[in-house]
């Protein structure tokens, strides 16, 4: 598991034992977002120092820093094939980078306020972003064509695609919305809304399977869903923990991890919701 914090570091943890493996130092300000590459060999991190950093996940070596944003980076995400990185920023843009060379491929402009979260669709054809402007945007990853989803009444803090890419989940301070982005007419529809909690949804009925209240404020970002018994990992960061990420090849199943303002994080198990086939 990787976690980013206000203490300017990225921490790497053993997902099974909770042991701190190493801390990555190189950012000059808060680390706001982290993401593993699909093959688990690299970690991308975004920071309030306006850069995206790429790290070797095994050695902790800083491979390169990507510069191009003019305000803090709030979210990072690898494309499913690992060739590109998307980053959202308070400069109101989503930047697309070549993951191998670090070259800025393009910047997507359309939000009226700061971008808080970005995510690639599972097939890599779309990018979603959430914003302070209370909208969710979906972008064609190749052409940059924009569609905006409106309905939230507060800052959108997190976005995520369903595995079949037909649904998009967005989280704001007071609710979680599920959007049907697979509509034949091409117009996304708000499929469901759950207030004051994190919800898990089926992609067929878009109905809530389980709603887990407990957060009293905004959830900055969630990288991967999961299943494991809840455990409190002893804090190693010294300030707010902004985001967690989990390697795709973990043998522990579907792990859901989130951080807190106290500097620690939690790992949840949802295995009872997904019985073995």
């Amino acid at each position: 598991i990787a976690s980013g914090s206000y203490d300017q570091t990225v921490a790497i943890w053993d997902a099974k034992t909770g042991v701190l493996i190493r801390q990555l130092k190189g950012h000059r300000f808060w680390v706001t977002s982290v993401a593993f590459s699909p093959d688990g060999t690299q970690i991308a991190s975004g920071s309030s120092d306006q850069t995206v950093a790429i790290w070797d996940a095994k050695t902790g070596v800083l491979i390169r820093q990507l510069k191009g944003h003019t305000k803090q980076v709030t979210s990072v995400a690898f494309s499913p094939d690992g060739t590109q990185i998307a980053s959202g920023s308070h400069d109101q843009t989503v930047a697309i980078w070549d993951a191998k060379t670090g070259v800025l491929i393009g910047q997507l402009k359309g939000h009226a306020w700061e971008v808080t979260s970005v995510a690639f669709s599972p097939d890599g054809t779309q990018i979603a972003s959430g914003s302070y402007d209370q909208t969710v945007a979906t972008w064609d990853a190749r052409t940059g064509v924009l569609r905006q989803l409106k309905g939230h009444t507060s800052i959108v803090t997190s976005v995520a695609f369903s595995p079949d890419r037909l649904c998009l989940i967005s989280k704001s301070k007071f609710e979680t919305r599920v959007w049907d982005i697979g509509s034949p007419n091409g117009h996304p529809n708000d499929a469901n809304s759950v207030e004051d909690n994190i919800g898990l949804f089926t992609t067929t009925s878009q109905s809530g399977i389980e709603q887990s209240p407990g957060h009293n404020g905004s959830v900055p970002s969630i990288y991967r869903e999961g299943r494991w018994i809840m455990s409190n990992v002893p804090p190693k960061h010294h300030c707010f923990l902004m985001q967690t990420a989990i390697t795709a090849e973990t043998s522990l199943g579907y792990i859901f991890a989130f951080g807190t303002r106290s500097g620690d994080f939690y790992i949840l198990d949802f295995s009872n919701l997904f019985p073995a086939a």
Side-chain angles (χ1 to χ4, degrees):
I1 298 174
S3 58
S5 169
Y6 272 31
D7 64 11
Q8 305 177 20
T9 72
V10 175
I12 311 299
W13 313 79
D14 185 295
K16 184 177 291 186
T17 66
V19 171
L20 177 66
I21 299 172
R22 66 177 57 87
Q23 281 187 298
L24 313 182
K25 300 179 180 180
H27 282 296
R28 295 180 292 103
F29 214 51
W30 305 334
V31 178
T32 57
S33 182
V34 289
F36 275 96
S37 61
D39 62 6
T41 62
Q42 295 184 342
I43 297 169
S45 57
S47 171
S48 293
D49 65 12
Q50 304 178 12
T51 71
V52 174
I54 302 176
W55 313 81
D56 186 294
K58 185 176 182 180
T59 65
V61 171
L62 177 61
I63 299 172
R64 64 179 56 87
Q65 280 190 301
L66 315 182
K67 299 180 180 181
H69 285 295
T70 57
K71 292 186 178 180
Q72 74 177 57
V73 177
T74 55
S75 184
V76 293
F78 276 93
S79 61
D81 62 6
T83 62
Q84 296 183 347
I85 296 171
S87 58
S89 169
H90 277 194
D91 64 13
Q92 304 176 21
T93 71
V94 175
I96 311 299
W97 312 83
D98 185 296
K100 185 175 182 179
T101 65
V103 171
L104 179 62
I105 299 172
Q107 283 186 297
L108 308 178
K109 300 179 180 180
H111 282 296
W113 292 87
E114 295 94 325
V115 176
T116 58
S117 181
V118 294
F120 273 96
S121 63
D123 62 2
T125 62
Q126 296 183 73
I127 298 170
S129 57
S131 172
Y132 272 70
D133 64 13
Q134 304 179 14
T135 71
V136 176
T138 61
W139 314 80
D140 185 296
R142 184 177 61 86
T143 65
V145 171
L146 165 68
R147 295 193 300 180
Q148 279 192 310
L149 315 182
K150 298 180 180 181
H152 282 289
T153 57
S154 60
I155 297 168
V156 178
T157 57
S158 188
V159 293
F161 284 91
S162 62
D164 62 6
R165 84 164 186 79
L166 298 180
C167 290
L168 179 66
I169 300 176
S170 56
K171 180 72 177 73
S172 66
K173 185 174 182 179
F174 301 112
E175 64 182 356
T176 300
R177 286 182 176 265
V178 183
W179 307 86
D180 174 15
I181 58 173
S183 299
N185 60 9
H187 295 291
N189 300 307
D190 181 13
N192 204 347
S193 177
V194 181
E195 294 190 1
D196 290 322
N197 59 59
I198 294 296
L200 298 180
F201 302 88
T202 62
T203 56
T204 52
S205 66
Q206 295 144 19
S207 60
I209 321 172
E210 181 78 6
Q211 297 163 8
S212 307
H215 290 289
N216 296 318
S218 60
V219 179
S221 191
I222 299 170
Y223 175 66
R224 185 174 173 83
E225 75 279 7
R227 53 186 189 185
W228 198 24
I229 198 162
M230 178 186 277
S231 62
N232 182 4
V233 180
K236 296 295 182 181
H237 289 293
H238 302 293
C239 299
F240 294 175
L241 196 154
M242 293 298 291
Q243 194 193 37
T244 60
I246 299 173
T247 53
E249 75 277 8
T250 178
S251 62
L252 296 176
Y254 297 101
I255 295 175
F256 176 105
F258 64 90
T260 72
R261 293 194 175 196
S262 62
D264 55 3
F265 65 90
Y266 294 83
I267 304 170
L268 305 182
D269 177 10
F270 292 117
S271 58
N272 61 318
L273 302 179
F274 303 96

